[in-house]
Structure formats: C-alpha cells, structure tokens
Amino acid sequence: MCLPALRAIRGRFPRAHIAILAKPAVADLYARESCADEVIRYSATPWQTARDLRSRNFDCAVLLQNAFEAAWIAWLARIPNRIGYRRDGRGLLLTDAVRVPKRGEIPRHERFYYLELLHRAGLVENLYESPMIRLEKLAVTPARVIGVSPGAAYGNAKRWLPERFAAAAGKLAHARGASIALFGSAAEREVCEQISQLLNGHTIVNHAGQTTLAQFIGLAAACELFLTNDSGAMHVTSALGIPTVAIFGATDDIATGPTGPNARVVREPVECSPCLLRECPIDHRCMMRVGADRVVREALALLID
C-alpha cells in the first residue's frame, strides 16, 4: 500500500539513487519495481544496520514505517534529513516531524496515509487522485488456474471457512475448465491440505509453505482468477491486476481493501463488523453468512466484465 508513495518519490526525484530498506520477508516485493534503484535487506541488529547505512552517506530518509526503531536507525546512521510522522515517541529523532492526519482529514484507504506524509513534508503536491496500487506487470500469459489463499496472518477472524473456499473453487474450476493452486505460509499448509482433500477429483497443486515471495508473485501472475481473505496475497494479486475476489468480515475494506476494477469485495453487513479483532468473541457471523455461491457469482461476473 506504500507503492503509490514510492512512485511519487521517484517522480519528485527522477535522478536520485533511491534505496528501500526492507525486512527480508517483504524485500522481494520491491526488488522488481523501477521506483527503487536498490533494496537493502534489514536482517542484522539496528546498530549494524545503522553502521551500514552511515557508510553509504544517504542525504535523506523518508520513514514510511511508523515505528520508533525506524527513526532511531536513521538517527544512528547520521542521515541529515529524516522525514516521518510524529508518533511512537520519535519526534525528537526526526528533522521533519510531520503531524499525523486526524480522522476525516484524508481519504480512508491506507495508501493515502503514506501519500499524505509526502504532501505534508512538502515533497509532492496533493495526491488524493492517486493511481491504483499496482505492481509492475510480469510478462506472463494467464493460464486456466484458480488461485486460492485461505489464510490471513492477522488472525482467525479474517478467515472464511475452508469448506466454502473448497466449494467455491471447485465450482469455478468446473465452470472454467481450470486447475486449482493453493497458496499460503508454512503455518497455513494444513488448512490448504484440508481444502485439497475436499476438492478430490480436481487438478490441484498445494504451494503452501513451498514458495518465496518472489515465486508467489510469479505463480499468482499466471492465475486467471484469485480467491482470498483480506491478506497479503490479496494485496499482491490485486496489484498485479489479476481478477481477485476478497472475502471481508472483521476488517474494513474501505481502509485496506484491494483497488482497481479487477477486484471485488464480498462481505455480509452485520452489526459488529468491522470489529478489527483477531478472534471473534461470538459466532463469526460476518464470515458464516457469506455463502460459496455468492463468491462464485461475483467471480464469474468479474471474469465476464
């Protein structure tokens, strides 16, 4: 969701050397983007990271991350210009401590939070009409594959029922003459295996726990359709322009949903949603009331459109 801000920085400084400091788990997401000249993988201690950055003599650090540690590393690295939101007790470590937007001051989607940092710091003009979140396209021809990502790292409250993922994927695979690819982390391999067993008779590959982020991006780009919860996989596939159907319950699709015409959100309005809880304290009604047939209808309509 910070990609529009990164592209805005590249637009503002077209000839600058732009490096992205990223944790290894997400570094592959940025490695193929032209807005960055370099990706530095953060895998050591804050002190070692700061020493490495200090030797590079960077002129400016734009801290899209909110954490105190990000500002501390930039301060330890003696980067002369340190721009970030004034939060998490880090204001004194910043040379440009930007006021955090109040509720209602900017559009609700998370991408505007990052763009507004640049706007308030005077780096860019007002970017409320920003483009959709997009990863740079891969030269991949979509195949007849239905991608399914049934997990969600935040918690069980975000997860649709495995048997309904299986029912929806099976009906779509039958309608499209497609195979099914299951994706997830190593911790989600069990739920993917459960879905695989429910889809007996279909051609299925379970990739859960078997791919790097870069490999996932390549495999997802080859899918003709993707079914997912509100998850990292949802953000990647929708940013790739893959037709994506995302099932939302506990979280807010207005703030963190997919963008663009190739994405559809399916949710059932209930009185307690969005609660933003990791675990549902009652009956998980926001997800229990979303049926497989509804997801199939949305997916087929998306493919036709």
Side-chain angles (χ1 to χ4, degrees):
M1 288 186 282
C2 69
L3 282 172
L6 292 170
R7 293 201 174 105
I9 293 170
R10 168 57 73 199
R12 174 66 175 80
F13 302 104
R15 291 188 294 275
H17 179 90
I18 297 176
I20 297 176
L21 176 65
K23 292 183 177 179
V26 296
D28 285 342
L29 190 68
Y30 306 106
R32 49 189 298 275
E33 297 296 305
S34 61
C35 58
D37 299 291
E38 178 186 13
V39 176
I40 302 172
R41 294 173 183 262
Y42 173 79
S43 57
T45 65
W47 295 274
Q48 182 60 51
T49 301
R51 281 196 294 269
D52 293 343
L53 294 178
R54 188 188 311 166
S55 68
R56 304 284 300 279
N57 295 315
F58 284 107
D59 300 299
C60 179
V62 180
L63 307 180
L64 298 176
Q65 191 192 54
N66 292 317
F68 177 89
E69 183 181 331
W72 185 39
I73 289 172
W75 181 81
L76 287 173
R78 299 177 185 171
I79 299 174
N81 298 289
R82 302 179 298 278
I83 300 168
Y85 279 123
R86 186 191 300 115
R87 59 181 305 170
D88 203 29
R90 65 185 194 171
L92 292 177
L93 298 175
L94 302 172
T95 58
D96 293 271
V98 176
R99 181 176 63 84
V100 177
K102 295 179 181 178
R103 185 177 181 86
E105 287 187 334
I106 60 175
R108 283 173 58 190
H109 198 277
E110 192 76 9
R111 71 186 188 275
F112 295 108
Y113 177 79
Y114 302 109
L115 288 165
E116 185 66 7
L117 171 64
L118 308 183
H119 176 229
R120 294 188 177 197
L123 295 180
V124 297
E125 298 296 325
N126 191 321
L127 289 174
Y128 290 168
E129 298 300 324
S130 73
M132 298 173 292
I133 298 171
R134 280 289 177 261
L135 287 164
E136 294 185 9
K137 287 187 176 293
L138 294 174
V140 175
T141 302
R144 286 295 175 98
V145 179
I146 308 298
V148 180
S149 182
Y154 184 78
N156 287 326
K158 293 173 66 173
R159 295 174 180 171
W160 199 38
L161 285 69
E163 57 268 29
R164 296 190 187 175
F165 267 116
K171 290 180 180 180
L172 287 165
H174 178 75
R176 301 292 298 174
S179 62
I180 299 168
L182 301 169
F183 297 96
S185 66
E188 293 159 353
R189 187 164 180 84
E190 183 176 345
V191 69
C192 287
E193 187 58 36
Q194 179 185 350
I195 293 171
S196 179
Q197 292 175 5
L198 291 169
L199 286 165
N200 185 35
H202 292 276
T203 302
I204 305 165
V205 179
N206 184 357
H207 294 289
Q210 305 297 310
T211 64
T212 65
L213 177 56
Q215 290 167 336
F216 167 70
I217 292 172
L219 290 167
C223 293
E224 75 162 8
L225 176 71
F226 211 91
L227 306 181
T228 177
N229 297 310
D230 173 17
S231 64
M234 174 200 73
H235 290 294
V236 170
T237 58
S238 63
L240 286 168
I242 304 303
T244 299
V245 179
I247 301 96
F248 270 73
T251 47
D252 184 356
D253 61 289
I254 303 299
T256 61
T259 64
N262 284 338
R264 296 278 178 94
V265 169
V266 177
R267 73 175 310 138
E268 183 65 27
V270 296
E271 63 278 7
C272 52
S273 176
C275 65
L276 307 182
L277 297 176
R278 292 180 180 270
E279 302 290 337
C280 179
I282 47 174
D283 55 8
H284 211 196
R285 63 190 61 178
C286 60
M287 287 300 198
M288 293 293 293
R289 295 181 187 180
V290 177
D293 286 341
R294 181 179 170 193
V295 170
V296 170
R297 288 195 301 271
E298 291 289 347
L300 291 175
L302 185 57
L303 290 174
I304 291 170
D305 291 347

